[in-house]
Each structure stands twice: as structure tokens, then as C-alpha cells.
């Protein structure tokens, strides 16, 4: 799978995790559900909603590990979707672009979603181990 699609799956999964307890959740959830299964979007929508409820129900101390698990689960699921249907990237990028500038940032994060991921033109550079 092209690295741009791998990065897109990660960006969408991370954005979903950040949006779970914000007013942006419904729009992102619905956009991702439509992209994942345009014929039956209710199936991924219910799965997303179940994961969101479990995440926000966590005590504050456990919320970040739960958020990381939610992100990993959806990143893997989106990898599978994109392997089977690369055209789903169009809908995922659209859903992400609609909410990305408004998503909350986690501490230490230098940005929400790189514009290159939204456009699908990602070029990876190896990070220096000396930062």
C-alpha cells in the first residue's frame, strides 16, 4: 500500500480519537462511515459510536491510553479498507478536510493534519534521531 494511504489512515484515526468528545464528532464520524462503506454507512457509524462511548466513559487517568487504543484500532481498520478499496481515500480526505482545522491539538503536537495528507501528496522524510 502506498505510504500516503498509510499516513491517511493514521491521520483519520488520530483525528477520530481527538474528536470523540467535541462537537466535531458527528460530522467526522458520518464522513468516515460514508467513506468506509458507502452502501451501508450505518455499520461503521455504529462501530465508531460504540468506540466513542467506551472512550469518553473512561476515567480521566485512563482516557489517554483508551484514546491510543481507539486510534490503533481505527488505523488498522482503515488500512484494511484502503487495501480493499483505495478509492475510499477520496471520502476519507474529504471528511478529514472538513474538520481538521478545528480539531483540538494534543500537548506536544506540532499540528493537526499536514496539508499534504489531505491532498494525498505526502513525501516522507526520515527524522533525525538527534532532535
Amino acid at each position: 500500500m502506498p505510504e500516503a494511504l498509510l499516513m491517511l489512515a493514521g491521520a483519520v484515526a488520530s483525528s477520530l480519537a481527538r474528536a470523540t468528545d467535541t462537537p466535531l464528532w458527528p460530522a467526522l464520524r458520518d464522513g468516515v462511515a460514508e467513506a468506509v462503506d458507502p452502501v451501508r454507512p450505518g455499520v461503521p457509524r455504529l462501530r465508531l459510536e460504540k468506540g466513542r462511548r467506551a472512550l469518553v466513559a473512561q476515567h480521566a487517568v485512563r482516557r489517554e491510553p483508551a484514546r491510543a487504543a481507539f486510534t490503533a484500532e481505527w488505523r488498522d481498520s482503515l488500512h484494511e479498507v484502503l487495501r480493499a478499496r483505495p478509492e475510499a481515500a477520496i471520502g476519507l480526505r474529504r471528511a478529514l478536510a472538513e474538520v481538521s482545522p478545528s480539531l483540538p491539538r494534543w500537548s506536544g503536537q506540532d499540528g493537526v493534519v499536514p496539508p499534504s495528507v489531505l491532498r494525498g501528496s505526502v513525501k516522507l522524510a526520515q527524522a533525525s534521531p538527534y532532535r
Side-chain angles (χ1 to χ4, degrees), residues 3-4 9 18 31 34 36 44 58 71 79-81 87 102-103 109 117 131:
E3 294 211 28
R18 286 194 309 272
E34 287 283 334
V36 166
Q58 292 293 322
T71 300
H79 285 168
E80 290 177 28
V81 168
E87 69 276 8
S102 302
L103 283 171
Q109 185 179 10
V117 170
R131 274 206 237 176

Side-chain angles (χ1 to χ4, degrees), residues 89-109:
I90 296 166
L92 291 174
R93 284 187 185 104
R94 185 179 314 121
L96 197 56
E98 288 178 17
V99 300
S100 179
S102 302
L103 283 171
R105 295 181 178 175
W106 289 343
S107 62
Q109 185 179 10

Side-chain angles (χ1 to χ4, degrees), residues 19-66:
T20 55
D21 49 0
T22 74
L24 299 171
W25 172 255
L28 186 57
R29 176 202 60 209
D30 292 349
V32 170
E34 287 283 334
V36 166
D37 191 343
V39 176
R40 298 178 314 152
V43 174
R45 185 180 295 119
L46 286 173
R47 185 171 156 227
L48 280 161
E49 197 56 43
K50 182 180 176 185
R52 183 198 71 80
R53 283 192 308 269
L55 195 157
V56 298
Q58 292 293 322
H59 186 275
V61 173
R62 299 179 123 188
R63 189 156 302 148
E64 288 314 310

